[in-house]
Amino acid sequence: MNIKIALAGNPNSGKTTLFNALTGSNQFVGNWPGVTVEKKEGKIKGYEGAMLIDLPGIYSLSPYTMEEVVARDYLLDERPDAILNIVDGANLERNLYLTTQLTELGIPVVVAINMMDVVNKRGDKININKLSSSLGCKVVEISALKGTGLKEASKAAIDAANSNENFAAAHRFCNNVEQYINDISALIKNKVSNDTLRWHAVKLFERDENVIEKLKLDKTSSDIIQKIIKTAEEVMNDDSESIITGERYEYISKIINDCYKKANVGELTTSDKIDKIVTNRFLALPIFAVVMFIVYFISVTTVGTWATDWANDGVFGDGWHLLGIGASDYEKAAEEYEPYGLSLAAFEEAMEAQGINKNEAENLTATAYVYATLKKNFQ
Ligand code: BGO
């Protein structure tokens, strides 16, 4: 049994932690072809022949970043047997955007809701069964950090990879958009595999340049697709990409309403409470001014003065004294030199009174200098 499972998820969703936990030390690190994006593969522990491929962390399957292009090219061209989609349960709404796109690829998807330790600590509840039926795929709860639910996640991914059933997304756009997608699908059905038909149709509707370039459609089909998109944009009063994005978020927000129950609905977190005060339209500027004054005050008095004095006198002046260490030696030596310093100052004062330039005095011998001083005094 040789199966390939792609691990996909948002940056910071815990993908690396999960990858390391599932593969242990069975890892191979390289680069994705032609780009400097790191590629990691590893054998899943306990499943000989099951390879986990760590895709770059991405927020969507758009063609805007190198990571997104690498991930979607892999999913479309290599066709892994399953996708293990790691989702940050503490930020479910944002993370599910990618999930809505992954489920359109015709590849079996298993969603692993990570950070369940954080979700449980907050007292929030996720209805896994409802979420699973809304997304149309298996959903498991895990904590990659604590190591909980990992066996269930890897088993679910292996089962999905071995299932020979066709995988189809549960999500449907509104009737109008579905009609436009179906019309585009009819035009390209001979150009792409049945599995990826819906994904390609959605991408063409969004005017995805990479897909347009790859499919190399004839002029008639391209013109018809452009007409479909223009009609959609006129009817729905928005550009086609925003129409799809808006529809996805509407679907996600319905899922969140149905499946996610917050423990402290309406209660503000500490961070929210602070935000409410410091971003208040009347208080924000005075608070900013007070903070800036405090920063200025501290930097020119107290801490600032201590630091400057220590740097000037300690580091660059009298010698290196850290927290007084070595200071007593310095003070003893300074005491010994003090009479010489005072004598020198008195001597220089006398020279000045006699109109003798200090620079000239350095060129005179002591006798000559004393003679010159006396002579001046008695003339
Ligand atoms: C730091 N639970 C909790 N609580 N945290 C988790 C879990 C989980 O189940 N899974 C992952 N994390 P990555 P990507 C960190 O690194 O795997 C944490 O980008 C820190 N680091 O430990 O790197 C994980 O690969 C200092 O946290 O994610 C990591 O997807 C303070 O989520 C972070 C706090 O995991 C991202 C956290 C110096």
Side-chain angles (χ1 to χ4, degrees):
M1 163 182 78
N2 270 326
I3 56 174
K4 286 185 288 182
I5 295 168
L7 178 60
N10 284 190
N12 272 321
S13 56
K15 208 160 53 62
T16 309
T17 313
L18 179 62
F19 181 82
N20 290 340
L22 292 184
T23 60
S25 53
N26 296 322
Q27 295 185 7
F28 314 96
V29 183
N31 269 9
W32 290 92
V35 288
T36 52
V37 179
E38 189 183 76
K39 179 183 188 185
K40 279 195 293 181
E41 292 178 72
K43 285 182 189 162
I44 299 181
K45 282 192 281 187
Y47 293 93
E48 209 35 57
M51 201 60 129
L52 189 65
I53 296 99
D54 186 24
L55 298 183
I58 47 171
Y59 293 106
S60 84
L61 291 178
S62 321
Y64 300 125
T65 66
M66 198 189 285
E67 284 78 8
E68 286 167 350
V69 174
V70 164
R72 69 186 223 168
D73 281 355
Y74 177 81
L75 294 169
L76 283 169
D77 301 341
E78 302 291 323
R79 307 293 296 164
D81 301 289
I83 299 170
L84 180 56
N85 173 210
I86 178 165
V87 161
D88 175 357
N91 290 293
L92 201 55
E93 191 159 2
R94 193 186 64 201
N95 280 237
L96 284 180
Y97 189 78
L98 177 66
T99 310
T100 63
Q101 297 187 318
L102 293 174
T103 51
E104 279 168 0
L105 287 163
I107 300 169
V109 175
V110 169
V111 171
I113 310 280
N114 192 31
M115 315 259 181
M116 280 311 294
D117 55 313
V118 179
V119 175
N120 292 334
K121 201 170 162 194
R122 285 183 189 168
D124 297 350
K125 292 270 174 287
I126 300 175
N127 188 327
I128 295 298
N129 293 334
K130 261 193 186 172
L131 185 58
S132 174
S133 69
S134 300
L135 293 170
C137 63
K138 172 107 179 145
V139 178
V140 290
E141 292 174 296
I142 65 164
S143 168
L145 190 70
K146 309 274 176 195
T148 55
L150 301 189
K151 280 194 178 147
E152 201 192 345
S154 48
K155 184 180 179 309
I158 303 274
D159 289 349
N162 285 327
S163 72
N164 292 319
E165 290 164 27
N166 287 335
F167 185 87
H171 171 224
R172 286 287 167 267
F173 295 102
C174 71
N175 290 344
N176 271 355
V177 176
E178 276 301 322
Q179 188 55 54
Y180 302 131
I181 303 291
N182 287 342
D183 292 347
I184 296 175
S185 300
L187 286 164
I188 59 165
K189 68 171 188 269
N190 295 328
K191 283 265 180 189
V192 296
S193 70
N194 211 25
D195 292 349
T196 62
L197 182 60
R198 184 172 173 83
W199 187 83
H200 278 103
V202 173
K203 285 288 149 195
L204 283 177
F205 184 77
E206 288 180 311
R207 293 201 180 89
D208 183 307
E209 281 180 7
N210 287 22
V211 172
I212 294 173
E213 202 179 302
K214 254 190 190 170
L215 290 187
K216 294 194 176 29
L217 296 174
D218 55 77
K219 191 173 176 316
T220 320
S221 305
S222 298
D223 288 349
I224 299 174
I225 291 173
Q226 279 316 309
K227 247 189 201 158
I228 293 171
I229 300 172
K230 281 229 168 78
T231 310
E233 289 178 333
E234 273 168 28
V235 171
M236 303 188 77
N237 199 20
D238 209 344
D239 67 279
S240 62
E241 203 177 349
S242 306
I243 292 172
I244 295 292
T245 308
E247 290 265 329
R248 287 194 198 283
Y249 274 116
E250 213 170 283
Y251 166 59
I252 291 167
S253 127
K254 190 176 172 307
I255 292 181
I256 298 291
N257 275 339
D258 291 349
C259 312
Y260 199 100
K261 292 281 162 283
K262 269 191 175 295
N264 52 355
V265 185
E267 250 180 61
L268 295 178
T269 62
T270 312
S271 159
D272 290 339
K273 282 178 194 160
I274 295 170
D275 281 354
K276 219 175 163 203
I277 298 167
V278 295
T279 61
N280 177 285
R281 58 201 284 226
F282 300 113
L283 290 177
L285 281 177
I287 290 174
F288 174 72
V290 168
V291 170
M292 289 316 289
F293 175 76
I294 292 170
V295 170
Y296 174 76
F297 186 76
I298 291 174
S299 63
V300 296
T301 60
T302 57
V303 179
T305 317
W306 300 330
T308 316
D309 287 352
W310 176 73
N312 287 346
D313 302 342
V315 180
F316 300 109
D318 304 338
W320 176 263
H321 309 308
L322 184 62
L323 305 174
I325 299 163
S328 57
D329 288 345
Y330 163 77
E331 273 158 20
K332 209 171 137 203
E335 226 169 74
E336 274 173 33
Y337 278 94
E338 202 178 358
Y340 300 110
L342 290 174
S343 307
L344 184 62
F347 202 72
E348 282 175 351
E349 208 177 296
M351 275 197 302
E352 211 181 321
Q354 294 302 321
I356 297 168
N357 186 297
K358 265 201 272 180
N359 298 333
E360 281 170 24
E362 279 176 9
N363 296 329
L364 298 172
T365 62
T367 322
Y369 168 67
V370 173
Y371 178 66
T373 311
L374 290 172
K375 208 170 156 192
K376 267 201 173 176
N377 275 340
F378 287 102
Q379 265 175 359

